Amino acid sequence: MALTGRTALLAALGSLPVGIWEPSWTGILAVNAPLAVACACDFALAAPVRRLRLTRSGDTSVRLGDTADVTLTITNPSRRPLRAHLRDAWPPSSWQPGTEFAASRHEVTVPAGERRRVTTRLRPTRRGDRQTDRVTIRSYGPLRLFSRQGTHRIPWSVRVLPPFTSRKHLPSKLARLRELDGRTSVLTRGEGTEFDSLREYVPGDDTRSIDWRATARRTTVAVRTWRPERDRHILLVLDTGRTSAGRVGDAPRLDASMDAALLLAALASRAGDRVDLLAYDRRVRALVQGRTARDMLPSLVTAMASLEPELVETDARGLIATALRTAPRRSLIVLLTTLDAAPVEEGLLPVLPQLTQRHTVLVASVADPHIARMAAARGTIDAVYDAAAAAQAQSERLRTAEKLHRHGVTIVDATPDELAPALADAYLTLKAAGRL
């Protein structure tokens, strides 16, 4: 009960004029007996809270930035109508800042023996699982002088998935893929290409593609066309160590890496390649293997939803060993990590040859656009110092990329908005060159 009968009674008595007040129980009862009776009746007519039956239904997953509706069904088995304020409590990150009060509170009226539904609309601001806390109900009598209050725990979980904002680039990348995939056959040949068809030679064609046996049977010169092979294996490796926690703009680097990985996975699955995912820092945080093309993208999104950066140094030796176990035969290893000098030179470079001698390796890293703006700033002494510091950081990053490149690693270094399409372009370039 939110307000006791004695408290309400004394509050009412304290509001009487001083001239009327007589500090005796006889006077109190004579003047306030009707009020006391009204309070008692109001309390008696308030529907009991603990007898209410509550159930949940609604959305169990939502993309970050979208809304999810969770419905609460209140059944009133008592003989008294329920007039109540209801608060459906969720973690603060379940709503946009400033909207929690209006979104989580409801005015409810449930006649005796009936049920009603209220819907709480969530708009989460972070990935991961959002668990409901409790439902608090304050039941009032018809005069609203007294109330009964109680809580119910009705478990429900909503998984907040990565937003996959880079999917807007997918149509253009698929158009380029179709040019490589036999509709417009390419004349380059490598270890990852297969024979497609014969056609007549035209000036400018590579003479190495001439099929002399077919030419001998024709009156014109015939050339072979090639297309990228299907069913190649791609392993996406997400570094979830401390460097992935650094914020670039409004989100951690890990979020930009996941968005790029999702675009590459969607593109590769359309190309007929198999895609697996490994998230690692000092232990395996997520592993997705052996999914079909239809199930692959939903599985990746679900696995990424609960990933968070870990504030530990990534064990590069353990990461490479796990990647080698996950990809036993020749594959494209896409490592989404940092290009900072210390983690790469002390951790990755000493063990990188174990990976490059068996696989094609591509390293993708999130660049901070603020560094580029600082490097271009001029006009004040502070701006010049900032520009010098930014230029030094860029130079160190380039030296680190060159060291990786000398090991045969393809480098993609781009800002969060540009990383996903740049990584997709790098994949298509490797595929067209027959390096997969």
Side-chain angles (χ1 to χ4, degrees), residues 187-225:
L187 294 177
T188 58
R189 183 181 182 183
E191 58 184 339
T193 55
E194 60 182 8
F195 174 73
D196 180 38
S197 61
L198 293 171
R199 67 169 176 80
E200 185 178 345
Y201 174 86
V202 296
D205 287 343
D206 191 343
T207 55
R208 292 174 297 180
S209 298
I210 296 176
D211 189 320
W212 295 108
R213 291 185 178 180
T215 300
R217 296 193 298 267
R218 297 184 176 198
T219 58
T220 59
V221 178
V223 294
R224 297 171 180 166
T225 60

Side-chain angles (χ1 to χ4, degrees), residues 203-376:
D205 287 343
D206 191 343
T207 55
R208 292 174 297 180
S209 298
I210 296 176
D211 189 320
W212 295 108
R213 291 185 178 180
T215 300
R217 296 193 298 267
R218 297 184 176 198
T219 58
T220 59
V221 178
V223 294
R224 297 171 180 166
T225 60
W226 310 88
R227 62 182 176 186
E229 289 184 8
R230 291 178 172 270
D231 198 32
R232 314 307 288 178
H233 181 227
I234 300 173
L235 176 61
L236 303 173
V237 182
L238 286 173
D239 179 357
T240 56
R242 65 169 183 84
T243 56
S244 66
R247 299 186 72 85
V248 178
D250 295 331
R253 282 185 167 90
L254 180 60
D255 286 27
S257 297
M258 289 193 298
D259 193 52
L262 287 174
L263 179 63
L264 178 57
L267 180 62
S269 65
R270 299 288 186 90
D273 293 334
R274 295 179 295 108
V275 182
D276 293 337
L277 171 72
L278 169 66
Y280 191 95
D281 42 72
R282 288 188 175 274
R283 63 180 180 88
V284 176
R285 302 290 176 176
L287 181 61
V288 178
Q289 286 182 289
R291 298 296 192 272
T292 64
R294 176 177 297 180
D295 298 334
M296 183 270 303
L297 200 58
S299 299
L300 293 187
V301 170
T302 302
M304 291 178 181
S306 57
L307 285 179
E308 294 292 344
E310 300 293 330
L311 300 182
V312 295
E313 196 71 40
T314 299
D315 178 12
R317 191 174 299 276
L319 186 149
I320 297 300
T322 306
L324 289 173
R325 289 196 301 269
T326 308
R329 65 186 184 91
R330 185 169 183 82
S331 308
L332 171 63
I333 308 293
V334 180
L335 178 56
L336 295 115
T337 186
T338 181
L339 282 180
D340 293 346
V344 173
E345 294 177 2
E346 298 176 10
L348 184 59
L349 279 177
V351 295
L352 187 61
Q354 302 175 30
L355 202 61
T356 55
Q357 67 184 359
R358 292 177 54 183
H359 302 287
T360 301
V361 181
L362 190 157
V363 171
S365 181
V366 181
D368 191 346
H370 183 62
I371 300 297
R373 291 193 295 268
M374 287 175 58

